[in-house]
């Protein structure tokens, strides 16, 4: 049975892919067969004939439980054993046994039962006193070759990706370990001959595939990977091996690597290759992959570290939206700093050091009021971290770390509880009837426990449910519309309101607005900010307001920064506005002071 690790580089020089069982071979030579026969007290002269296929035994056998699948299940094995020659020379017997075992394995791969094969072997009889030993030998050989195939299959699954046939990360690390050890040994044996030192390089490739968009276009992700893999293989030389190391990640091992610049050349060559659309049915897709690379010219280390450094380079390329990043020590320093920040953010959450800021939402048109005085009746809750060590960390970075580290549910419980507490304080302590809006992500909306969390906090702080508005976006709904709708329905039953944020920037705003139980529409600030100077933006905002009103929705315009913009929105009968004109996000204490001092402009 061939060693999978040893054949990998050979496969790389061919198609660089293999399929399950492709390289499995039955290796039962005459010497090994003789050794096994000795265990059963058999000699070569004992097994050359006469043989007979016992049809009566076979007819009884096909009626038994192990043969439930019918003759077709053991079609190959049955044919091999029923057509067994009456007499055979030793060399012919050896070949006949190998053919028989190959026939059995073909049936086994199709789901044939091992017990059925044992019973079928008893249908072949040796007309001599050695029949019992011969049938035991045949059963032994069936079991032996089946075990060999299972071991091969286990080894294959460990070392190759079943979908693509490419060697996987496990095999890559083994080859890296072997290659780096050889390099170190050569360096020790020839320390004074640097020209003869060998080097290797590793390039990690993130295909940057948006699987959500791919699924909407009815394209299987496996087909995308296979097409991308084929494109890469067409542009690799014999010194490069391609590996599948993640859902959308590939690796290229170059051994030997002639110079550090070879990494850039290979990556650039592949970038040019991906400028052409992938050969996929029904869709046109051009990938823009990211590359992270490292070589032994840069650093001498062990296999695990070498691979991890390449991942750091790829991570840097992805975060900074660069196409190619070659590893250097600065990347490790940056990563360490990032790791420290991630740890500090989680500690801040656990130690209740995060805070909630409030940005006023001001009512500028309310037909239920006799006067025309602007009032602040609501505010949006925004996350902040006031750290003396880590300055100006954006809310997006805070949330990204919290959710990636698995603390999303802890955070959302903290957010809901604190928002309800602030709501209660505004009403009971400061006599301000102000509702609060909290933003939830798609991850939160997929959590079936979310309505119960809201209900518990509302009861705990004794606030009316309508004083909480849940703000969502169209993209959040699209993740899993059925699950999200189920959770939203329960939230509405509690009495909370729903606001659709960033309206006008999603996929199907009009249909979404009509079909979902939305109370409030928030017009994205990208449309609002320039309505005093842009006739196009003004027309868009006016149309959104008119549409929302026709469906009975309240409108909030975000990004209002000047009086001219405010007056235009008043004329359009926009109910509420949010933006720096009235107030930026502020701490709870600052918000109370602002509320007390707030007057109509």
């Amino acid at each position: 049975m061939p060693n999978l690790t040893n054949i990998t580089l050979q496969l790389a020089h061919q198609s660089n892919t293999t399929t399950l069982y492709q390289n499995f071979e039955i290796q039962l030579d005459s010497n090994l067969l003789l050794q096994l026969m000795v265990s059963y007290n058999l000699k070569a002269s004992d097994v050359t004939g006469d043989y007979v296929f016992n049809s009566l035994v076979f007819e009884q056998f096909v009626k038994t439980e192990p043969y439930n699948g019918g003759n077709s299940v053991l079609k190959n094995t049955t044919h091999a054993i029923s057509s067994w020659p009456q007499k055979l020379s030793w060399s012919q017997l050896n070949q006949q046994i190998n053919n028989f075992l190959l026939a059995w394995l073909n049936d086994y791969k199709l789901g044939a039962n091992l017990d059925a094969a044992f019973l079928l072997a008893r249908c072949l009889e040796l007309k001599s006193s050695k029949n019992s030993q011969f049938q035991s030998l045949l059963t032994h050989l069936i079991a032996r070759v089946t075990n060999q195939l299972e071991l091969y299959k286990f080894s294959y699954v460990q070392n190759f990706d079943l979908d693509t046939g490419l060697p996987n990360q496990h095999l890559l690390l083994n080859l890296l370990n072997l290659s780096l050890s050889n390099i170190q040994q050569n360096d020790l044996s020839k320390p004074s001959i640097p020209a003869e030192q060998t080097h290797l390089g590793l390039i990690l490739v993130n295909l940057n595939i948006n699987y959500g968009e791919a699924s909407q276009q009815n394209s299987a992700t496996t087909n995308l990977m296979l097409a991308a893999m084929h494109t890469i293989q067409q542009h690799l030389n014999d010194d490069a091996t391609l590996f599948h190391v993640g859902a959308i990640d590939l690796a290229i091992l170059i051994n030997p690597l002639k110079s550090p610049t070879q990494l850039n050349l290979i990556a650039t060559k592949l970038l040019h290759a991906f400028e052409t659309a992938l050969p996929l049915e029904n869709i046109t897709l051009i990938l823009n992959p990211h590359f992270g690379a490292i070589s032994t010219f840069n650093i001498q280390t062990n296999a695990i570290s070498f691979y991890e450094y390449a991942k750091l380079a790829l991570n840097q390329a992805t975060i900074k939206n660069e196409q190619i990043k070659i590893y250097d020590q600065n990347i490790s320093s940056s990563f360490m700093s990032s790791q420290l920040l991630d740890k500090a953010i989680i500690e801040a959450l656990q130690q209740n050091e995060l805070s909630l800021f409030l940005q006023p939402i001001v009512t500028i048109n309310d037909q239920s009021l006799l006067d025309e005085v602007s009032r602040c009746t609501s505010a949006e809750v925004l996350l902040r971290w006031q750290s003396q060590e880590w300055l100006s960390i954006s809310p997006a970075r805070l949330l990204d770390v919290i959710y990636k580290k698995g603390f999303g549910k802890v955070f959302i419980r903290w957010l809901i509880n604190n928002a309800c507490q602030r709501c209660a304080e505004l009403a009971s302590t400061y006599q301000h009837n102000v509702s609060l809006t909290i933003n939830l992500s798609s991850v939160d909306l997929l959590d079936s426990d979310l309505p119960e969390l809201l209900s518990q906090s509302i009861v705990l702080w004794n606030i009316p449910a309508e004083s909480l508005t849940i703000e969502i976006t169209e993209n959040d709904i699209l993740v899993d519309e059925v699950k999200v709708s189920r959770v939203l329905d329960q939230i509405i039953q509690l009495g909370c309101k729903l606001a659709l944020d960033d309206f006008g920037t999603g996929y199907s705003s009009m249909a979404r607005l009509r079909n979902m139980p939305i109370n409030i529409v928030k017009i994205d600030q990208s449309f609002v900010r320039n309505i005093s100077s842009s006739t196009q933006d003004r027309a868009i905002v006016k149309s959104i307001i008119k549409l929302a009103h026709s469906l009975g929705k309240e409108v909030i315009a975000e990004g209002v920064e000047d009086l001219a913009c405010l007056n235009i929105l008043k004329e359009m009968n926009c109910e509420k506005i949010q933006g720096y004109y009235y107030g930026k996000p502020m701490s709870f204490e600052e918000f109370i002071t602002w509320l007390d001092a707030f007057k109509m402009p």
Side-chain angles (χ1 to χ4, degrees), residues 126-420:
L126 178 64
K127 292 300 182 180
S128 75
S129 60
K130 298 291 186 178
N131 180 55
S132 176
Q133 292 96 316
F134 171 73
Q135 289 185 338
S136 296
L137 171 67
L138 209 55
T139 301
H140 177 116
L141 294 174
I142 292 171
R144 180 179 180 276
V145 76
T146 304
N147 182 59
Q148 284 182 323
L149 185 69
E150 285 298 319
L151 289 174
Y152 181 91
K153 182 179 177 181
F154 177 75
S155 182
Y156 182 96
V157 171
Q158 276 194 315
N159 292 285
F160 289 88
D161 176 69
L162 293 176
D163 289 328
T164 63
L166 288 175
N168 62 17
Q169 179 180 303
H170 180 265
L171 191 48
L172 170 62
L173 291 173
N174 284 342
L175 289 174
L176 275 176
N177 187 54
L178 179 64
S179 300
L180 290 171
S181 297
N182 289 339
I183 289 173
Q184 291 171 0
Q185 289 175 6
N186 289 340
D187 289 347
L188 290 173
S189 62
K190 302 175 183 177
S192 61
I193 317 176
E196 293 188 15
Q197 290 181 347
T198 56
H199 289 278
L200 62 86
L202 179 65
I203 302 175
L204 299 185
V205 187
N206 179 277
L207 296 176
N208 198 17
I209 295 174
N210 186 321
Y211 278 130
E213 291 182 2
S215 61
Q216 288 176 11
Q217 299 175 65
N218 299 316
S219 176
T221 55
T222 300
N223 290 338
L224 283 172
M225 175 59 78
L226 289 172
M229 180 187 84
H230 180 69
T231 298
I232 292 175
Q233 286 175 322
Q234 287 182 315
H235 294 83
L236 293 181
N237 296 327
D238 288 347
D239 56 6
T241 310
L242 185 63
F243 297 79
H244 184 271
V245 295
I248 56 173
D249 295 311
L250 297 165
I252 303 167
L253 180 64
I254 305 100
N255 188 11
L257 184 73
K258 299 177 179 64
S259 101
T261 58
Q262 194 178 347
L263 296 175
N264 257 314
L265 290 172
I266 293 173
T268 303
K269 185 178 180 182
L270 293 177
L271 279 172
H272 291 323
F274 280 113
E275 290 174 356
T276 303
L278 292 178
L280 296 167
E281 292 184 6
N282 303 323
I283 65 169
T284 300
L285 186 63
I286 296 177
L287 297 183
N288 186 28
H290 299 290
F291 297 85
I294 188 173
S295 76
T296 52
F297 286 101
N298 301 92
I299 190 167
Q300 298 286 340
T301 185
N302 58 55
I304 297 293
S305 297
F306 194 76
Y307 182 67
E308 289 299 322
Y309 289 149
K311 286 171 63 177
L312 288 181
L314 178 61
N315 184 58
Q316 281 282 320
T318 305
I319 291 173
K320 296 185 177 181
N321 199 28
E322 297 178 8
Q323 293 179 316
I324 305 168
K325 194 72 178 178
I326 307 296
Y327 175 80
D328 59 40
Q329 294 292 344
N330 292 330
I331 290 178
S332 286
S333 300
S334 174
F335 175 75
M336 290 301 297
S337 176
S338 177
Q339 291 291 91
L340 289 173
L341 174 57
D342 290 356
K343 183 180 178 182
I345 289 172
I346 298 304
E347 288 178 351
L349 171 64
Q350 294 173 325
Q351 296 171 13
N352 201 30
E353 294 175 359
L354 300 180
S355 57
L356 297 180
F357 274 39
L358 303 178
Q359 185 174 28
I361 298 174
V362 177
T363 302
I364 58 173
N365 281 305
D366 191 340
Q367 295 179 357
S368 66
L369 299 175
L370 296 177
D371 57 45
E372 295 184 358
V373 176
S374 298
R375 289 176 170 81
C376 178
T377 56
S378 58
E380 182 174 359
V381 174
L382 299 166
L383 181 64
R384 295 292 186 270
W385 183 29
Q386 296 175 292
S387 170
Q388 295 181 347
E389 181 181 358
W390 303 93
L391 304 178
S392 303
I393 305 300
S394 71
R397 177 62 191 274
L398 295 174
L399 293 172
D400 181 62
V401 171
I402 288 169
Y403 281 88
K404 280 187 176 179
K405 297 294 183 181
F407 286 84
K409 199 155 188 173
V410 174
F411 167 75
I412 206 64
R413 186 183 294 274
W414 174 87
L415 172 65
I416 291 171
N417 185 66
N418 276 270
C420 291

Side-chain angles (χ1 to χ4, degrees), residues 362 364 372-374 563 566-567 570 581-582 598-601:
V362 177
I364 58 173
E372 295 184 358
V373 176
S374 298
L563 182 59
L566 172 65
N567 288 333
K570 274 188 177 181
Y581 180 76
Y582 277 119
F598 177 66
K599 294 180 180 179
M600 176 186 170

